[in-house]
Amino acid sequence: MNKVKVGIICLMLLAFVETHAQKFFKNENKTMSFVEMQRQFDTWKKGNDLHKQKNWKYFKRWEADMEYHTDAHGKPVDPAIYFDAIAAAINDKNKLSSSSIPVTWLPTGPFNNPVNNTGYNEIGTGRINCIAFHPSDPLTYFVGVAQGGLWKTTNNGQSWIPLTDNLPITRVSDIAINPLNPDEIYISLCDFEYMGVGLNLNGRKRNTHYGMGVFKTMDGGITWTPTGLSFQLTDGDASLIRKIIIHPTNTSNVVACGASGMYTSSDAGGTWNHVLDSLFWDMTQDPVNPDILYAATGWVMNANDGEAAIYKSTNFGLTWTKLTTGIPPTGSVQRIRLAVAPSDPNYIYAITVDDQTGFYGFYKSTDAGTTWQFIPPALNILASDEGFGSGGQGNYDLSLYIDPADKERVITGGVNIWGSVDGAQTFNPVSHWTTSYGPSCHADVHSINIQPLTGNIFACTDGGLYRTPNIIIHSWVDANNGIPWPTQWTKLNDGRQVSSLYRLASSRNLDGSLVAGAQDNSTYFYSQANSWTAIFGGDGMDNYINPLSSSTVVGSSQYGNFNQSFDEGLTSSGVFANINNEVAEWTSPIIADYNIPGLLYIGFENVVKSADDGFNWTSISAFPTSGFGNNEISALAVSNTNSTVLYAAKRVRYEYGVPGSMYRTLNGGVTWQDVTPGIPDSIYYTSVEINNARSNEACVSMAGFTAGSKVYRTSDNGNTWQNISYNLPNLPVNCVKSLPGGRKLLAATDIGIYELDSGTTVWNSISNGLPNVIISDIEINSALNKIYISTFGRGIWETDLNSVLTSGWNVTAAEAYDVNLYPSVNNGTFTLQLNNIKAGENVSLSIIDIMGKQVYAGELHQKESKIHVNLPSGKYFAKVYGKQLSGVKSFVVQ
């Protein structure tokens, strides 16, 4: 396969093996399978208190995602299966433009950096992998978001425009801009930062993190096409490209490197030559002679694959020489990051990562790579503490920057930022991941870059983008004596909706409050009065809001650590629900019986119940155990019409050969019945849902890539099950939800939302307006006529509940507005066509910006209208609506 298919998408792998990897993994010089990694971690966990251990959470994030993206045997699937499924999903979505389904989604937030009420950790909105600057306009630059695509600002970060919502994946690892024609931009579509976990998982090479390779635009990001380096790598796997460099004078020459080697193009990306077959982790260019390139390969311990080395090219990548550096090729050094001093290109620095993903040391050359000096570590500058601990997360976050005016001044970023003034001999701190020492930069720094036109320095972090005019090195003595960090950072997260959310809850009342669990950025709480705040801290997971008092909120972090607050998260306390000290799932489910205020259920190994908003808990199940132990509950449901009916779904444990199981009670937990027969027990259960109007009917949704096994339904309390997967694409279904009235089901997948009408056998895509991003949860607020969805990379979106209830089989073309808007890229002047407006009908027009705010309102009275609106650059949504019908078209103002 030499060309990328429409619909290819990266397999989202949400984390990687972090610090102290050797503590719970023993490689033994062989490739580990996914289930072997799980077994080894579980063995290590049994002998360690995770509250006292560090650097294990990134593995569990990665594992949690892997469990959603395997086959029925717990193994990663062939990439072609994923590609075909994504193609089918995008095909379904594209049909909406000519369909009669009047459902369109609009952004809800968070749009701005939330107010930090966690009390200790720096809070952002979502991970930024990379940044690139316009060659002549200091106000214009681009950022690549880990799960949220490419974004552009034309006003120095005051507002942002998403450019890649319609590409099959929304992950960007590198950006290269043609300096002679800034409208020509190359991007790497993948999330390369996860490469270090299971590169050779289950014996198949480089299939752990699927990517689309290099894409290109010639019009500044309005349209994109794949280059020749898109899907032509070894073993049939999609490309993982780490770095792209364009020659500054002969811009048809492009070099790219990544997991499968080094590639060159002499025709602006049309065709590529594969010049080296090694695992490349970095590449940089001589600041004086653009034909000189340096590149670093790596060794991945968990896969026992690759070789750590530094290469040099003097002919812009056509040929390469491996330099004599003294770096151990295997067994000690995993990742290398390179930087060349702008003031003296003879100075080259290489920071190296050890087998614990901590700091191995610096390698430094002062003669353009001919000889190298090894500088052993005095401190572990990749650790999360003051540098005295072991380990780190260098395989995930690693950055290196040399002061343009001082070749001895070196800045590094890992969990924290450190600086050296003596050529990497000694280091002192610049920032810390907490707010304990004053305002700081967010943890996990992936890139540090200088803007050539202004001299401003930018840090790309797990919390977003930070800017400073000058990095000032501090000391731990001063920090511990209460002197705050002297570096002044400006957060540039406002106007970009890029949060990766696990779960979502609504107040289900007119208050309109929301709570959502965010990876790396705590739990977000929204109230109409106070907008967005960050509460509780840690990785936000599942949650709940009391509909009688929206100030009462319960949130959680990984492994069932729950907290509650009665003042919207301003203050909080622990919820001691795990009364039996049981094992909990990474995302432990919490549900509420909304007919009985204060009645909550949480799933650990068994189901626990609270009747007083979480103060007191009792166990209401005693499920049988296996030889391994008791599988964790991954999903819970309680009936809306009969409070005594509950379901508990227990996850499959591939690593121990323990199947999943489904239990049901008809008497409030007094007795439970195993109702697994009739549904697959070898696929991860993502959600279970009881029909909104009928307690005897329930559905279960499933992750993974087992074709035709996505959603199962029972109409007799679980005694028998029917497969209702029908035409759903072979993608994980992350959530299934029953709508009010019980006639419709919604299914949230890795790309898009689908609806199923009762009595029909066709799932309809209702994904109009959504970027191509993973949908993680669905929540309904009937009081506000809203359906909300959370996404993993693009925050929260909403649509009108009534539009979904009336869509589908009973909608005719005459009942939905047929809207055209042109040109789609404009300066605030455009034409709106309503091809089926009735004579004399009054139709309202609302223009909504990317932050969900209405910026214009008007009326339409004819088929074609010319609209003139004074709008700043950005993405907008033109919504037209009458008494019952509506339609939405997006457009960009430049």
Side-chain angles (χ1 to χ4, degrees):
M1 186 181 296
N2 292 322
K3 287 290 183 181
V4 67
K5 294 180 180 179
V6 174
I8 296 177
I9 192 167
C10 286
L11 173 60
M12 179 161 312
L13 298 175
L14 300 181
F16 65 101
V17 179
E18 196 186 348
T19 315
H20 300 315
Q22 84 286 2
K23 281 189 175 181
F24 40 84
F25 292 132
K26 297 179 180 179
N27 180 267
E28 299 175 350
N29 294 320
K30 64 180 182 181
T31 297
M32 278 191 290
S33 68
F34 177 46
V35 294
E36 176 61 26
M37 294 168 72
Q38 291 180 297
R39 277 194 293 263
Q40 289 193 24
F41 182 87
D42 287 338
T43 299
W44 173 83
K45 184 177 70 171
K46 290 176 181 178
N48 291 274
D49 182 354
L50 294 185
H51 292 93
K52 298 179 181 179
Q53 297 291 331
K54 297 180 180 180
N55 309 310
W56 53 267
K57 294 178 184 177
Y58 282 88
F59 167 71
K60 295 304 291 184
R61 289 175 188 156
W62 172 80
E63 180 201 42
D65 184 74
M66 278 293 293
E67 289 168 338
Y68 275 48
H69 297 90
T70 59
D71 62 11
H73 306 287
K75 297 180 179 179
V77 298
D78 186 326
I81 295 174
Y82 206 12
F83 299 159
D84 290 343
I86 291 302
I90 291 181
N91 216 21
D92 291 339
K93 181 180 177 181
N94 289 340
K95 293 177 183 177
L96 290 172
S97 60
S98 59
S99 78
S100 60
I101 297 177
V103 179
T104 300
W105 299 86
L106 294 172
T108 304
F111 308 108
N112 296 329
N113 210 93
V115 175
N116 189 354
N117 284 338
T118 67
Y120 71 96
N121 52 317
E122 172 67 15
I123 292 299
T125 54
R127 172 156 56 98
I128 306 296
N129 281 336
C130 54
I131 187 170
F133 304 103
H134 192 283
S136 59
D137 180 1
L139 302 180
T140 297
Y141 39 94
F142 303 78
V143 293
V145 182
Q147 315 295 340
L150 183 72
W151 291 69
K152 175 184 180 181
T153 180
T154 59
N155 52 19
N156 205 22
Q158 295 182 50
S159 63
W160 296 84
I161 307 170
L163 299 178
T164 53
D165 283 359
N166 293 323
L167 288 182
I169 67 172
T170 53
R171 302 175 185 88
V172 177
S173 280
D174 197 34
I175 311 161
I177 301 174
N178 183 342
L180 304 182
N181 177 15
D183 285 336
E184 182 179 358
I185 305 170
Y186 297 80
I187 57 174
S188 165
L189 283 185
C190 70
D191 194 1
F192 201 86
E193 298 294 60
Y194 294 141
M195 191 187 70
V197 185
L199 189 66
N200 241 0
L201 213 59
N202 285 290
R204 296 204 333 274
K205 286 192 175 184
R206 297 170 183 144
N207 64 353
T208 312
H209 316 283
Y210 307 133
M212 291 181 63
V214 178
F215 266 54
K216 178 181 177 180
T217 179
M218 293 298 294
D219 52 21
I222 298 171
T223 59
W224 295 88
T225 56
T227 68
L229 184 55
S230 297
F231 190 57
Q232 56 182 21
L233 306 184
T234 58
D235 303 318
D237 295 328
S239 54
L240 277 171
I241 299 301
R242 174 64 185 88
K243 195 72 176 176
I244 308 164
I245 295 178
I246 305 170
H247 198 283
T249 56
N250 187 357
T251 56
S252 293
N253 290 342
V254 186
V255 182
C257 68
S260 292
M262 182 71 65
Y263 297 82
T264 63
S265 174
S266 59
D267 56 3
T271 59
W272 297 79
N273 295 317
H274 193 179
V275 297
L276 285 177
D277 183 15
S278 299
L279 192 165
F280 281 90
W281 226 317
D282 197 17
M283 179 170 58
T284 190
Q285 189 174 39
D286 186 298
V288 175
N289 184 346
D291 289 327
I292 297 178
L293 303 175
Y294 298 91
T297 56
W299 168 74
V300 177
M301 186 196 72
N302 296 327
N304 193 26
D305 192 15
E307 174 182 286
I310 299 175
Y311 287 77
K312 181 177 181 178
S313 173
T314 58
N315 53 13
F316 199 67
L318 296 178
T319 59
W320 293 84
T321 301
K322 183 190 292 187
L323 302 179
T324 302
T325 61
I327 297 175
T330 60
S332 298
V333 171
Q334 295 199 79
R335 182 179 183 180
I336 304 170
R337 185 116 191 194
L338 300 169
V340 182
S343 62
D344 185 348
N346 288 311
Y347 274 62
I348 309 164
Y349 291 88
I351 186 172
T352 59
V353 177
D354 65 18
D355 59 0
Q356 300 180 50
T357 63
F359 182 43
Y360 184 83
F362 259 95
Y363 286 82
K364 176 181 177 182
S365 175
T366 59
D367 53 12
T370 302
T371 61
W372 292 80
Q373 171 197 4
F374 176 59
I375 307 172
L379 294 171
N380 182 6
I381 58 176
L382 297 184
S384 59
D385 56 19
E386 296 183 16
F388 300 114
S390 61
Q393 34 186 88
N395 279 6
Y396 172 67
D397 46 38
L398 187 67
S399 53
L400 182 59
Y401 164 80
I402 312 300
D403 191 308
D406 185 350
K407 61 189 177 185
E408 302 286 352
R409 195 167 188 269
V410 180
I411 306 296
T412 68
V415 178
N416 304 310
I417 300 178
W418 294 74
S420 171
V421 295
D422 56 9
Q425 300 291 330
T426 61
F427 280 87
N428 277 294
V430 171
S431 71
H432 191 257
W433 65 275
T434 72
T435 57
S436 302
Y437 308 95
S440 185
C441 187
H442 195 282
D444 306 338
V445 183
H446 298 270
S447 182
I448 300 174
N449 302 83
I450 188 169
Q451 188 176 31
L453 298 177
T454 65
N456 286 327
I457 301 169
F458 291 77
C460 301
T461 78
D462 271 10
L465 185 66
Y466 289 70
R467 181 182 67 207
T468 182
N470 185 26
I471 289 181
I472 303 172
I473 301 171
H474 203 38
S475 74
W476 279 116
V477 172
D478 288 341
N480 287 317
N481 283 328
I483 301 175
W485 304 112
T487 302
Q488 301 296 307
W489 296 100
T490 299
K491 296 180 186 180
L492 298 175
N493 295 333
D494 292 355
R496 244 185 1 257
Q497 184 178 322
V498 294
S499 298
S500 293
L501 304 176
Y502 283 107
R503 296 289 185 272
L504 172 68
S506 162
S507 62
R508 303 193 178 197
N509 58 31
L510 293 175
D511 288 348
S513 297
L514 297 169
V515 60
Q519 179 175 296
D520 291 314
N521 289 288
S522 76
T523 293
Y524 295 148
F525 184 83
Y526 172 80
S527 70
Q528 294 185 32
N530 298 317
S531 192
W532 291 97
T533 57
I535 61 177
F536 300 144
D539 287 295
M541 299 291 177
D542 209 353
N543 34 62
Y544 153 80
I545 304 176
N546 188 320
L548 298 183
S549 174
S550 299
S551 297
T552 299
V553 58
V554 178
S556 63
S557 57
Q558 55 275 335
Y559 284 146
N561 293 302
F562 285 85
N563 288 279
Q564 66 184 175
S565 174
F566 300 97
D567 53 13
E568 299 185 353
L570 187 63
T571 61
S572 63
S573 58
V575 174
F576 303 103
N578 196 355
I579 54 177
N580 297 319
N581 195 29
E582 296 179 335
V583 175
E585 180 58 314
W586 175 251
T587 303
S588 301
I590 180 172
I591 60 170
D593 188 333
Y594 289 100
N595 296 307
I596 306 176
L599 182 55
L600 305 177
Y601 298 91
I602 292 177
F604 296 101
E605 295 175 20
N606 284 282
V607 181
V608 296
K609 169 184 174 181
S610 172
D612 55 9
D613 262 330
F615 283 102
N616 297 285
W617 295 87
T618 57
S619 182
I620 62 168
S621 70
F623 298 133
T625 62
S626 66
F628 148 71
N630 207 352
N631 296 28
E632 303 94 322
I633 292 171
S634 59
L636 280 174
V638 61
S639 171
N640 179 56
T641 58
N642 185 345
S643 295
T644 65
V645 178
L646 292 93
Y647 284 75
K650 308 199 75 178
R651 54 156 298 180
V652 61
R653 274 290 196 172
Y654 299 113
E655 66 270 36
Y656 297 103
V658 179
S661 54
M662 180 72 70
Y663 289 89
R664 181 265 298 144
T665 178
L666 301 178
N667 52 22
V670 177
T671 58
W672 293 82
Q673 180 180 348
D674 186 340
V675 292
T676 313
I679 59 175
D681 61 5
S682 60
I683 308 175
Y684 189 100
Y685 302 139
T686 56
S687 73
V688 59
E689 174 80 353
I690 301 174
N691 186 283
N692 199 273
R694 297 179 292 277
S695 65
N696 62 304
E697 185 176 310
C699 292
V700 57
S701 62
M702 300 175 186
F705 296 93
T706 302
S709 294
K710 303 301 170 186
V711 181
Y712 283 72
R713 177 169 61 196
T714 178
S715 299
D716 56 9
N717 294 310
N719 295 318
T720 61
W721 295 86
Q722 174 194 7
N723 187 347
I724 60 169
S725 304
Y726 303 136
N727 62 307
L728 282 173
N730 189 11
L731 293 168
V733 175
N734 304 310
C735 178
V736 64
K737 186 71 68 173
S738 173
L739 294 187
R743 182 176 67 86
K744 278 180 178 280
L745 285 174
L746 297 186
T749 76
D750 267 16
I751 285 193
I753 295 282
Y754 287 78
E755 61 151 11
L756 178 70
D757 280 295
S758 178
T760 68
T761 59
V762 176
W763 290 89
N764 296 311
S765 175
I766 55 168
S767 306
N768 194 27
L770 289 175
N772 291 329
V773 66
I774 289 176
I775 315 298
S776 58
D777 202 2
I778 306 170
E779 181 69 8
I780 298 167
N781 187 336
S782 298
L784 289 177
N785 186 34
K786 296 293 185 184
I787 299 177
Y788 299 100
I789 59 172
S790 60
T791 72
F792 209 85
R794 288 299 305 277
I796 301 169
W797 295 68
E798 66 180 63
T799 194
D800 292 341
L801 172 61
N802 285 343
S803 67
V804 179
L805 289 175
T806 58
S807 68
W809 63 272
N810 62 339
V811 175
T812 66
E815 292 178 303
Y817 289 129
D818 180 8
V819 185
N820 288 327
L821 186 154
Y822 62 89
S824 58
V825 179
N826 56 65
N827 61 0
T829 298
F830 55 90
T831 298
L832 264 178
Q833 282 184 337
L834 287 175
N835 295 321
N836 57 346
I837 188 173
K838 298 176 182 177
E841 182 178 7
N842 292 329
V843 179
S844 297
L845 167 65
S846 177
I847 297 179
I848 300 165
D849 67 14
I850 194 66
M851 298 176 67
K853 184 175 72 173
Q854 180 176 283
V855 295
Y856 173 84
E859 298 289 331
L860 303 175
H861 304 285
Q862 53 196 16
K863 179 178 179 180
E864 185 169 297
S865 302
K866 196 83 168 182
I867 308 298
H868 304 274
V869 188
N870 185 19
L871 297 172
S873 295
K875 183 172 183 177
Y876 296 88
F877 301 85
K879 180 178 181 179
V880 297
Y881 53 96
K883 290 183 178 180
Q884 294 181 329
L885 307 179
S886 65
V888 178
K889 288 291 183 180
S890 63
F891 63 97
V892 172
V893 172
Q894 287 191 351

